[in-house]
């Protein structure tokens, strides 16, 4: 045993509470963070009242995301007053962006960026010793590839696997390249190992995560390359009973090879999240998205040619700099043309330091942004309902996730298309099982059905 392995673990006897905001990547990062802290002796708790260390994993994507977290930090003053030795740390994207402001706030002891989590035990030890623990260094290499995340989810069926970090795309509106640094891919063998371990532990649905999974690339020293379609095939090969999903796909990099690999593997889910952001070419250029509406529709047609039953979802931004009524109308038209199954829809929020903040005017009045967003949401509600109505009478293979939220006599699970189905419980059917359900009813958010097999 090496001498350093004999040192006392800082965390022994201390409880760690973690609160997570933002995207799936943050959810996955919190699981990595807990793993690192448990190795140092900390015990994870879901009860904030008994925590010795509170970590808040934060998001900067829109101003309201940050405002919510400031509000939450304010509430922590109360806990700090009650418990003198309580340590509060802010980690994630907002930590990277707002280090000084956070440290000056008076509540925050630790600020750690997304690439600094291995350093967390030292940062907490510093805070316990009475100084600030700060590390917002971004890395070109860190992927946490060797770390086994501690699963914080409840159902034991779905899990995220982070396959890459950072982003090189610099969409004009987006803060992510600044908070998460340059793109880098994780060793595929550690990814497959993680998928295998999850499968053996009973998990049946894994989502491969990255800001732009289509640019995943691993080049071993002895030559060759593992690209994203190769990786999908490797993970799908773990078991035919393991469903594989991924997010997010940048339309500019979605290859025919990926479509072919998906189509050839039934356990790769029939769902692609393909954020369009806008239906107007003028806006897409201003946003630096590097594709046109025509390219986007071409990719979509290619997906549907090979997988007619593939669900398509998207992200849309209303009221980006210079957006005219005509541009907005183009977005609505695109939505109708595609007939999205679901969408995440946002009002443009200017983020300091981005290309848009530096070079463009945030010139769409708030009430116009709101009105356009509402039109987009209203249309999507109509499209989601239409999409669910098309499923009525059809049978789908459903992966059971557990009790439905409304009633313990009902179970819920997802189709390959990522739609939630609720059905009456039956003897012997439990989370992790595959069953066949016939759809008998729907709302715009949920399908209802009965078990046929
Ligand atoms: N990497 C993913 C998206 C990550 S952010 C991708 O490229 O698709 C998730 C979504 O937030 C984006 O797709 C975009 O629709 C939205 N978003 C990002 N920055 C925004 C901003 N400044 N204002 C409003 N919405 C924004
Ligand atoms: Fe942001 Fe664009 Fe990167 Fe997505 S691809 S994280 S929207 S910069
Ligand atoms: Fe938010 Fe950072 Fe994710 S800004 S959306 S937590 S990458």
């Amino acid at each position: 045993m090496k001498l350093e392995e004999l040192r006392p673990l800082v965390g022994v006897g201390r409880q760690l509470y973690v609160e997570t905001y933002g995207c799936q990547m943050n959810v996955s990062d919190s699981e990595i963070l807990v793993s690192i802290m448990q190795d140092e002796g900390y015990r994870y708790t879901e009860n904030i009242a008994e925590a010795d260390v509170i970590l808040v994993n934060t998001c900067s994507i829109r101003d309201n995301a940050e405002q919510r977290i400031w509000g939450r930090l304010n509430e922590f003053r109360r806990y700090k007053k009650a418990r003198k030795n309580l340590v509060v740390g802010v980690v994630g994207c907002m930590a990277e962006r707002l280090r000084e402001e956070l440290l000056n706030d008076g509540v925050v002891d630790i600020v750690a960026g997304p690439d600094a989590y291995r350093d967390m035990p030292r940062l907490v030890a510093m805070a316990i010793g009475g100084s600030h623990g700060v590390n917002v260094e971004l890395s070109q290499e860190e992927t946490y590839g060797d770390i086994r995340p501690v699963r914080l989810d409840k159902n034991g069926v779905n899990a995220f696997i982070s396959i890459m970090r950072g982003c090189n795309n610099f969409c004009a509106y987006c803060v992510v390249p600044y908070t998460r640094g340059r793109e880098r891919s994780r060793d595929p063998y550690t990814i497959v190992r993680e998928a295998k371990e999850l499968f053996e532990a009973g998990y049946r649905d894994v989502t491969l995560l990255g800001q732009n999974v289509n640019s995943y690339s691993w080049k071993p020293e002895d030559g060759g390359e593992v690209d994203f379609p190769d990786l999908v095939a490797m993970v799908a090969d773990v078991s035919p009973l393991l469903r594989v999903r991924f997010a997010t796909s940048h339309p500019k990099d979605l290859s025919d090879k990926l479509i072919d690999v998906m189509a050839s593997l039934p356990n790769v889910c029939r769902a692609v999240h393909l954020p369009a952001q806008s239906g107007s070419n003028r806006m897409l250029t201003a946003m630096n998205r590097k594709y046109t509406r025509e390219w986007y529709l071409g990719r979509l047609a290619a997906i549907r040619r090979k997988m007619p039953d593939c669900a398509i979802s998207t992200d849309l931004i209303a009221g980006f700099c210079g957006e005219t009524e005509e541009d907005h109308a183009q977005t609505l038209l695109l939505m109708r043309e595609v007939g999205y199954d679901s969408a995440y829809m946002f009002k443009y929020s200017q983020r300091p330091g981005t290309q848009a903040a530096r070079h463009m005017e945030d010139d769409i009045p708030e009430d116009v942004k709101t009105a356009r967003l509402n039109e987009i949401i209203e249309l999507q509600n109509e499209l989601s309902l239409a999409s669910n109505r098309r499923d009525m009478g059809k049978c789908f293979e459903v992966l059971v996730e557990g009790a439905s939220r409304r009633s313990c006599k009902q179970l819920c699970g997802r189709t390959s298309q990522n739609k939630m189905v609720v059905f009456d419980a039956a003897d012997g059917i439990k989370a992790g099982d595959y069953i066949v359900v016939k759809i008998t009813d729907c709302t715009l958010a949920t399908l209802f059905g009965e078990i046929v097999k």
Side-chain angles (χ1 to χ4, degrees), residues 167 169-171 173-174 176-177 211-212 250 277 289:
C167 183
N169 287 307
F170 291 94
C171 301
Y173 50 80
C174 185
V176 173
Q211 296 299 344
N212 175 12
H250 195 304
Q277 313 299 359
R289 287 291 284 181

Side-chain angles (χ1 to χ4, degrees), residues 53-93:
V53 179
I54 298 176
L55 297 179
V56 192
N57 198 352
T58 59
C59 175
S60 286
I61 200 81
R62 285 167 288 276
D63 185 56
N64 56 9
E66 288 192 350
Q67 290 314 322
R68 193 164 151 222
I69 290 158
W70 282 118
R72 189 65 181 131
L73 290 176
N74 216 8
E75 289 171 20
F76 289 160
R77 281 180 218 283
R78 180 160 56 88
Y79 296 111
K80 278 213 113 157
K81 268 204 197 103
R83 273 170 290 154
K84 210 165 65 346
N85 296 324
L86 178 68
V87 170
V88 173
V90 174
V91 307
C93 290

Side-chain angles (χ1 to χ4, degrees), residues 261-325:
V261 164
M262 286 181 78
S264 70
L265 297 167
N267 59 327
V268 178
C269 287
R270 297 303 183 244
V272 177
H273 185 61
L274 202 61
Q277 313 299 359
S278 170
S280 148
N281 281 335
R282 218 173 61 80
M283 283 297 102
L284 290 172
T285 305
M287 288 173 166
N288 193 29
R289 287 291 284 181
K290 306 184 190 91
Y291 56 83
T292 59
R293 175 194 179 95
E294 292 72 27
W295 167 268
Y296 182 92
L297 288 169
R299 292 290 72 202
L300 202 93
I303 295 171
R304 286 185 168 157
R305 244 190 326 269
K306 294 276 167 71
M307 294 174 288
D309 60 342
C310 189
I312 306 289
S313 53
T314 194
D315 294 349
L316 295 165
I317 298 176
F320 184 61
C321 310
E323 187 186 69
T324 62
E325 281 302 325

Side-chain angles (χ1 to χ4, degrees), residues 36 146 204 389:
I36 292 170
D146 57 315
R204 290 293 176 268
R389 288 215 172 116

